[in-house]
Amino acid sequence: MGKSNNVIVGDRGESLATNYLKKNKYKILETKYKNTIGEIDIIAKQKNVIVFVEVKSRTNDFFGAPSEAVNTHKQHKIRNVAMSYLKAIKKTDSLVRFDVIEVVGDTINHIENCF
């Protein structure tokens, strides 16, 4: 059975977001990072800051901005996955930031320090 359209759109968005971050001098540490708590789409480093990135992709914005899907529950889960990641790599004293990258069609909107 093939991938659903949502998975295809999501994978494409994550690929575009990863390339965008690389072009903007971010070092990609992990993509599709998973642990027992959940998943983070991209973990990157910008200078001395570890950046946890949630990518939200849509083919259009008919139902609103993709970032609106990153609700309080999702933010809490991402924070917990991030803390677990930092403990695993023994970097609990690192500076961190949580970003959202919206991908609508071919347009990228990077929202830094989103939550």
Side-chain angles (χ1 to χ4, degrees):
M1 194 161 125
K3 290 183 177 182
S4 73
N5 190 51
N6 286 348
V7 172
I8 292 168
V9 170
D11 286 350
R12 180 180 177 278
E14 288 177 22
S15 178
L16 288 172
T18 299
N19 289 334
Y20 164 86
L21 290 170
K22 287 178 182 176
K23 286 179 190 169
N24 285 281
K25 309 239 185 305
Y26 287 73
K27 180 182 179 190
I28 304 302
L29 303 176
E30 303 272 354
T31 58
K32 296 182 189 254
Y33 174 80
K34 289 182 184 177
N35 64 24
T36 56
I37 301 165
E39 178 180 335
I40 294 178
D41 296 325
I42 302 169
I43 303 173
K45 193 166 189 179
Q46 183 190 39
K47 296 180 183 167
N48 64 335
V49 179
I50 296 176
V51 184
F52 297 94
V53 182
E54 177 68 9
V55 180
K56 287 296 177 191
S57 305
R58 304 283 185 270
T59 54
N60 60 57
D61 59 1
F62 185 74
F63 294 106
S67 62
E68 292 172 9
V70 187
N71 58 28
T72 306
H73 175 74
K74 182 73 171 170
Q75 292 172 17
H76 181 71
K77 191 167 193 171
I78 292 168
R79 281 190 190 103
N80 286 338
V81 176
M83 280 301 289
S84 179
Y85 172 81
L86 292 169
K87 285 179 186 173
I89 65 165
K90 298 178 176 33
K91 297 278 188 181
T92 54
D93 60 342
S94 295
L95 295 173
V96 301
R97 191 176 80 214
F98 296 92
D99 293 2
V100 172
I101 293 182
E102 299 177 316
V103 179
V104 180
D106 291 325
T107 303
I108 293 175
N109 180 30
H110 184 184
I111 306 165
E112 292 184 9
N113 211 22
C114 191
F115 59 93

